[in-house]
Amino acid sequence: MIVPSDWLPQAPLDRLHLDWLTAASIELAILRLDQIDPLISGNKWFKLTEHLKAADQAGAKGIISLGGAHSNHLHALAAAGKRFGFTTVGLLRGHPQQTPTVNDLQAFGMHLHWLGFAGYRARHEAGFWEPWQAQYPDLLAVPEGGGGLPGAQGCLPLKALACRQLNDLGWNDYDGWWLACGTGTTLAGLVMAEAGEHPVYGALAVPDDHGVAQQVERILAQAGVSDSSYELFDASRGGFAKVDSLLLEFIEQTEQASGIPLEPLYTGKALLALKQQLEAGKFAPGTRLIFIHTGGLQGRRGFSSKT
Ligand SMILES: *Cc1c(COP(=O)(O)O)cnc(C)c1O
């Protein structure tokens, strides 16, 4: 077994009190995926679980995957490999550089190969994996970010993770989910888990032309989901990883008021987009939403030194 089946990470579900939520009479709970483990963090762990099961079934000794020099996905993969003792190989975008993330990948024992930029762009081409599979015949290849249907299936347990803690908040039900989307894989998993019961609202951390809606539809079609309820909102603020002073001030204020750490690429943008939707009257007073803290805090270290 690559991952022991009794390792079931827990994520606290806490009430979040902020003045703009109170002003709109909206109740918000936050599912802290940033707290599932000291090292393995966020939605990226859930997106990996089905891939790890597939690796087990294929008799593979580990996983080979790809990402950038701040990748939350590679970080979660390398941390899991270290924890559970399986081999990990990371194919990196660009040229060798030492970011805090890359330091961790190496410390966790991940084997790294730098593909340059053109080499990385070729990742969707037919035959891309062939030389890597020849070099690492014992490893299973996982797409960038742990996406696709298996990635979404790994996020199915998020619903139960939150639901069994609703009572503790004094909630008998909730009216929907709010979360950041990069590829939309995590959102697709929640939409599958809900099967139309509660809507899932996705705050897009990437611009419109990234095809998130199409990607979500593709996963739902593959999964044969007929009952789905979700909505996407632009939260990218002009581009992936683009930050501005309004966003940074919002993050700082929110951290001070709540004690919850956020990062500017996903969770900060998603929460700011929620505030703006509330100000625009999107949700009726009394609405109860669950916001997913998707993690990503490790990537923030490199971000502050980069800007
Ligand atoms: C990757 C990531 C997301 C986006 O997840 P998708 O499944 O690609 O939509 C959101 N938040 C954080 C912190 C992430 O690292």
Side-chain angles (χ1 to χ4, degrees):
M1 281 297 272
I2 278 189
V3 175
S5 53
D6 60 355
W7 197 72
L8 293 174
Q10 299 300 317
L13 181 72
D14 299 322
R15 278 298 309 275
L16 189 55
H17 299 281
L18 294 163
D19 53 4
W20 50 271
L21 292 167
T22 313
S25 300
I26 301 296
E27 292 185 56
L28 194 68
I30 179 168
L31 185 65
R32 300 288 305 272
L33 300 189
D34 59 316
Q35 295 202 330
I36 56 172
D37 183 81
L39 282 183
I40 310 171
S41 169
N43 63 333
K44 295 300 185 289
W45 163 255
F46 293 89
K47 293 173 73 173
L48 273 170
T49 51
E50 290 299 315
H51 293 292
L52 291 173
K53 277 187 210 162
D56 247 348
Q57 276 156 13
K61 294 203 168 59
I63 300 274
I64 178 169
S65 193
L66 16 75
H70 305 278
S71 168
N72 293 327
H73 161 66
L74 287 184
H75 197 273
L77 175 61
K82 165 96 178 152
R83 164 75 56 85
F84 301 115
F86 62 86
T87 306
T88 58
V89 173
L91 307 180
L92 282 122
R93 175 174 50 229
H95 303 294
Q97 54 169 315
Q98 286 307 132
T99 63
T101 304
V102 169
N103 289 338
D104 283 355
L105 299 182
Q106 288 167 330
F108 294 149
M110 180 177 257
H111 305 277
L112 304 184
H113 297 274
W114 293 87
L115 302 191
F117 291 100
Y120 196 82
R121 269 195 299 278
R123 66 195 179 281
H124 301 302
E125 284 169 16
F128 171 84
W129 285 104
E130 269 168 34
W132 297 110
Q133 230 113 51
Q135 187 174 346
Y136 296 107
D138 292 340
L139 304 188
L140 182 84
V142 167
E144 193 178 30
L149 181 59
Q153 284 166 331
C155 296
L156 291 172
L158 292 178
K159 176 174 164 147
L161 203 59
C163 281
R164 60 170 170 264
Q165 301 179 69
L166 285 179
N167 265 340
D168 306 341
L169 305 184
W171 288 14
N172 50 3
D173 201 0
Y174 56 99
D175 300 300
W177 299 83
W178 189 274
L179 77 157
C181 292
T183 61
T185 309
T186 308
L187 175 131
L190 276 171
V191 171
M192 285 157 59
E194 286 288 358
E197 236 181 284
H198 301 96
V200 185
Y201 303 105
L204 293 172
V206 295
D208 248 9
D209 61 2
H210 277 229
V212 176
Q214 292 89 322
Q215 165 72 4
V216 171
E217 284 304 313
R218 201 175 312 128
I219 293 175
L220 295 180
Q222 280 172 355
V225 172
S226 50
D227 269 330
S228 68
S229 170
Y230 72 95
E231 202 175 331
L232 301 176
F233 301 85
D234 177 30
S236 75
R237 309 191 65 77
F240 180 63
K242 269 212 175 141
V243 299
D244 51 69
S245 52
L246 184 81
L247 173 69
L248 295 177
E249 272 163 37
F250 171 76
I251 289 174
E252 202 181 309
Q253 281 165 7
T254 308
E255 287 181 342
Q256 273 173 12
S258 67
I260 292 167
L262 300 169
E263 45 66 54
L265 272 53
Y266 294 104
T267 48
K269 281 186 178 177
L271 207 54
L272 179 53
L274 175 61
K275 177 173 183 270
Q276 291 169 337
Q277 286 300 323
L278 296 189
E279 284 163 1
K282 167 75 188 167
F283 297 107
T287 300
R288 287 172 165 167
L289 296 174
I290 303 175
F291 171 64
I292 304 188
H293 193 311
T294 38
L297 297 169
Q298 71 81 25
R300 173 169 86 153
R301 300 168 302 173
F303 201 82
S304 47
S305 62
K306 198 173 63 182
T307 45

